Amino acid sequence: MTFRTPSPRNTAARAGAVHARRTFALAAALALCGARMSAQAPVTVADGHLTLSGQASISVGSNDEGYFNYSSYQYSLLRLLRLDGTADLRVNDHLSVLGDLQALASVDHGNWLLRPYALFARIRPWADRPVDIQAGLVPPVFGVFSRRAYGANDPLVGYPLAYQYLTSLRGNALPATVSDLLAMRGRGWLTRYPIGDTRPQAGLPVVDGLRYQSGVELHVGSLQPFEAAASWTSGALSAPSREGGNAGQQFSGRFALRPAPGLILGVSGSRGTFLSSSLRDSAAVSDVGDQRAIGFDAEYSRGHYLVRSEGVYSNSRIPLAVPATRLALAAFGIDVEGRYRITPRLYAAARVDRLQFNDVAGPDGPTSWEYPVTRLQVGGGYLVARHTLVKVEWQRNQRDVTASDVYGGGAYGSQAASASYNKANLFSAQLVVWF
Amino acid sequence: MLRLACVFALCAALSLAEAAGARAPAAATIRGRVNIPNPLSAALPRPGIADLGRDTNYQPAAPRRAVVYLETAPQPAFEEGVAGRATMKQEHETFVPHVLAIRAGTVVDFPNGDPFFHNVFSLSKPQPFDLGRYAKGRSKSVQFDEPGIVRVFCEIHSHMSAFILVFSHRFFAVTDDDGRYRIERVPAGTYTLTAWYEAVAQQSRPVTVPEQGGAVDVDFTLRDR
């Protein structure tokens, strides 16, 4: 396995290599510190009212020329350094304030991103009943993966496609015609449209599994045979924040049953606004800019094995200029993953994943508005210490595309048609330390 | 004459037996109290920023018990007795008891008393194990053959932990709620007595058990290392 030189987009390749070495050194130091601390429980101060914990992870992997694992233009989940510091302030039995401050950096270049990942108040009206209200920058209610993507809860390095893969759909830019849309297929990491913000930017995933959303949510029954949650938050599943002028709101809910020991079955629904207010207001047609989604999730565990599956069907409606019409862009993602604990320290895991899109009326007839993608992940993890985990993964990605499917020409057209762009075998490793 | 000889023989035998009994030293009890001025706080869960609600099942309890034991023991102690069975339950997301002291060869049962899965495991060298996930009402067992300290965790609930101290002899005791301990039937001799608390504090003292037996009082005050 070899790691290629930093992406050709990084013109300062030497500076990037220096940064990569410094990042690795920092990560190694963190790992050593974390390993020494990892035997300790979270830090509690102020007579147990304040609990502090932290997590550091570094992922290194093959150069992803097909941009299968990018969560934005700059960040690949396979080449990422992530630091989280979390706090839980228990004011009393009815009120807590929780927060997570996160720092992200690419292994390839020195662009650090510092942001509050979570910051919310948790209110429990009745101390002895499992009813909670959370308000602020809150975890998403829809589905499951967004809430268990944190650190060691995900047995693999890469994410499910529905929660990470960048489609060509944008929240702040629109295609004028169907041809504009089809020309951006497979280029979700950097799309450009003639209406709205015309600068090249990354598209949206079906569900943004890397960001929380602002709003309020209600949760009932954490350990009962059932649990239910509902939320009123900003944006939409694919665009949970108010960036790009999205002043819309989202309603989401999930209901889950535990019919037998080890079995959890859940269904989710969501309706939100992913399109910026200015684009919605200027559209020639009404009733656009919303994303509606339904999902299911299932988990079964027993003994040393654990099996999960999650599916999402999403429908996003955009306006077209020529002709002035409404276009429904649907996506369906489904994944199945399994983990088996071989020894107390060692486990094996795998995930099969498919992301499919509906057809739109293209110049050559019905055409999928995005290239379907298939991903196979096989890997495992090793517990070096109680709170130190090393994961390794082989990932096979494929877009269903042939040269005749590619619209648009030029450099992007050639790239989009190339086999190396649309099929990728990627290796990655991740070190996670937490306390 | 023959009757008189039998009487003499009987008296001689009785005298010999009495003399033999008088030469065997009486066993003693080592007892005392372990004071822990700054006990550890109860382990709390990591901030649940990915949770939709607060966990209501967890009942944290600050660890208060210490273990007192002889570092070395008389040779026969390693050969006597039969290891039995012990229990470490999972209740309210805690291991009960938090500290268990057993002899090598003991089988420990881990019954699940919570209405959800636990996954008990250990990475400790003396006895690594992983019991997998099992539901309320079920129990799994592990036999501990190697002396040492075994740290026990739950793979699902990271705030759950416990200690199992495995000894190759029987001269150990876990303190009670008041910090008191008793180690019974210790043969006469000089030993090193150690008090241990949560792997953060430990203290050793020489102790001499007299030939005539009785009780030997040894108190400890344990502070963080």
Side-chain angles (χ1 to χ4, degrees):
Chain A
M1 179 178 68
T2 59
F3 297 112
R4 300 178 188 176
T5 55
S7 166
R9 297 178 298 157
N10 184 359
T11 56
R14 184 171 294 179
V18 170
H19 171 77
R21 284 195 292 272
R22 288 176 181 165
T23 303
F24 281 119
L26 172 61
L30 286 170
L32 283 172
C33 293
R36 289 181 65 83
M37 292 162 39
S38 67
Q40 307 301 320
V43 176
T44 56
V45 296
D47 198 25
H49 283 281
L50 179 62
T51 303
L52 303 170
S53 75
Q55 176 176 287
S57 69
I58 180 166
S59 307
V60 292
S62 312
N63 205 4
D64 187 358
E65 292 181 349
Y67 303 97
F68 287 97
N69 289 275
Y70 277 73
S71 60
S72 70
Y73 173 70
Q74 296 185 76
Y75 299 106
S76 166
L77 294 183
L78 302 188
R79 300 176 71 84
L80 191 71
L81 175 61
R82 173 173 169 169
L83 305 174
D84 287 86
T86 62
D88 181 348
L89 174 65
R90 293 194 178 206
V91 178
N92 53 42
D93 284 345
H94 299 279
L95 176 64
S96 299
V97 179
L98 294 90
D100 181 320
L101 187 62
Q102 182 179 92
L104 293 175
S106 169
V107 168
D108 295 312
H109 48 78
N111 297 332
W112 280 91
L113 173 66
L114 185 66
R115 65 180 185 182
Y117 185 67
L119 182 61
F120 57 90
R122 176 180 290 158
I123 302 158
R124 173 157 286 200
W126 304 275
D128 57 347
R129 293 185 188 180
V131 177
D132 294 278
I133 299 167
Q134 300 188 152
L137 193 59
V138 295
V141 163
F142 188 95
V144 176
F145 184 81
S146 295
R147 296 190 303 281
R148 68 172 182 84
Y150 197 66
N153 291 329
D154 181 13
L156 294 162
V157 180
Y159 277 28
L161 291 166
Y163 282 90
Q164 161 269 314
Y165 182 77
L166 298 176
T167 71
S168 54
L169 184 66
R170 291 254 310 259
N172 60 355
L174 288 170
T177 64
V178 171
S179 294
D180 288 343
L181 176 69
L182 298 180
M184 287 295 121
R185 293 192 297 172
R187 305 174 192 174
W189 59 277
L190 199 65
T191 65
R192 174 184 274 174
Y193 290 125
I195 299 175
D197 190 335
T198 57
R199 293 173 296 176
Q201 287 183 6
L204 300 175
V206 176
V207 182
D208 192 331
L210 289 99
R211 283 195 293 185
Y212 281 9
Q213 51 211 356
S214 300
V216 61
E217 59 193 19
L218 170 70
H219 179 253
V220 177
S222 62
L223 298 173
Q224 308 303 317
F226 76 92
E227 66 174 301
S231 68
W232 175 36
T233 56
S234 58
L237 289 182
S238 58
S241 77
R242 296 189 179 277
E243 291 173 5
N246 182 2
Q249 55 189 0
Q250 176 188 176
F251 296 93
S252 298
R254 176 176 178 263
F255 181 79
L257 283 174
R258 298 168 190 258
L263 179 61
I264 304 173
L265 301 172
V267 291
S268 302
S270 174
R271 178 173 179 172
T273 304
F274 72 93
L275 204 57
S276 70
S277 305
S278 59
L279 287 176
R280 275 187 286 129
D281 295 342
S282 63
V285 293
S286 63
D287 208 18
V288 291
D290 63 329
Q291 179 189 17
R292 306 178 191 193
I294 56 173
F296 78 88
D297 58 86
E299 176 180 306
Y300 182 69
S301 61
R302 185 175 180 180
H304 298 291
Y305 67 87
L306 169 67
V307 180
R308 293 181 177 126
S309 180
E310 199 164 345
V312 179
Y313 174 83
S314 165
N315 194 321
S316 302
R317 296 187 296 183
I318 64 169
L320 279 183
V322 180
T325 185
R326 195 180 298 115
L327 196 62
L329 303 178
F332 176 60
I334 183 167
D335 71 86
V336 179
E337 77 176 48
R339 186 200 73 182
Y340 182 76
R341 195 165 286 278
I342 302 167
T343 73
R345 292 184 184 269
L346 182 68
Y347 69 80
R351 182 186 292 140
V352 177
D353 203 346
R354 175 76 173 172
L355 185 58
Q356 194 107 0
F357 306 90
N358 69 315
D359 288 344
V360 296
D364 298 326
T367 308
S368 177
W369 69 270
E370 252 290 11
Y371 296 128
V373 187
T374 305
R375 174 176 291 168
L376 171 64
Q377 297 167 260
V378 178
Y382 185 81
L383 263 180
V384 179
R386 172 66 181 97
H387 293 148
T388 305
L389 174 66
V390 174
K391 307 179 206 176
V392 294
E393 176 181 298
W394 166 79
Q395 195 185 99
R396 164 79 174 175
N397 295 274
Q398 180 168 320
R399 290 190 186 93
D400 296 350
V401 57
T402 61
S404 60
D405 288 339
V406 177
Y407 286 78
Y412 284 132
S414 300
Q415 181 187 44
S418 68
S420 63
Y421 182 78
N422 293 311
K423 293 182 183 178
N425 287 303
L426 305 171
F427 293 91
S428 61
Q430 185 180 75
L431 168 68
V432 188
V433 179
W434 68 99
F435 69 96
Chain B
M1 197 67 172
L2 179 61
R3 188 184 302 172
L4 194 61
C6 289
V7 170
F8 273 125
L10 182 59
C11 289
L14 286 171
S15 299
L16 280 171
E18 185 179 343
R23 282 195 295 270
T29 297
I30 302 176
R31 65 187 183 187
R33 189 162 184 269
V34 179
N35 300 300
I36 305 172
N38 299 309
L40 293 177
S41 307
L44 294 179
R46 300 177 69 212
I49 61 131
D51 299 332
L52 299 177
R54 181 160 62 91
D55 184 354
T56 55
N57 192 65
Y58 179 49
Q59 294 183 0
R64 293 277 187 270
R65 307 289 178 99
V67 178
V68 183
Y69 58 93
L70 296 183
E71 290 271 0
T72 56
Q75 181 58 35
F78 296 93
E79 298 145 6
E80 68 181 34
V82 178
R85 218 167 174 104
T87 300
M88 180 174 274
K89 297 180 285 188
Q90 301 132 69
E91 286 181 347
H92 301 295
E93 293 179 32
T94 58
F95 288 107
V96 180
H98 175 70
V99 177
L100 187 63
I102 58 173
R103 288 194 64 179
T106 299
V107 173
V108 178
D109 297 316
F110 294 90
N112 183 0
D114 277 334
F116 40 80
F117 276 9
H118 287 294
N119 188 157
V120 184
F121 77 102
S122 175
L123 304 178
S124 299
K125 244 184 186 178
Q127 186 66 59
F129 65 91
D130 187 325
L131 300 182
R133 299 180 174 206
Y134 52 100
K136 180 179 182 177
R138 296 197 59 195
S139 181
K140 294 193 176 182
S141 306
V142 179
Q143 182 167 334
F144 293 84
D145 293 323
E146 293 295 322
I149 299 176
V150 178
R151 194 84 191 262
V152 182
F153 303 102
C154 174
E155 186 250 339
I156 302 171
H157 306 96
S158 62
H159 49 276
M160 289 179 65
S161 72
F163 289 94
I164 299 177
L165 279 72
V166 185
F167 296 96
S168 51
H169 56 74
R170 62 173 177 81
F171 300 104
F172 57 85
V174 179
T175 61
D176 61 18
D177 290 342
D178 293 326
R180 300 193 182 279
Y181 72 93
R182 293 176 69 91
I183 302 176
E184 306 276 5
R185 295 184 291 117
V186 182
T190 300
Y191 308 99
T192 300
L193 185 68
T194 298
W196 173 97
Y197 173 68
E198 293 287 318
V200 298
Q202 187 169 311
Q203 194 177 95
S204 297
R205 295 264 184 84
V207 60
T208 300
V209 175
E211 291 278 343
Q212 64 272 25
V216 179
D217 292 298
V218 182
D219 291 339
F220 293 89
T221 298
L222 296 183
R223 300 179 192 277
D224 285 359
R225 290 178 188 160

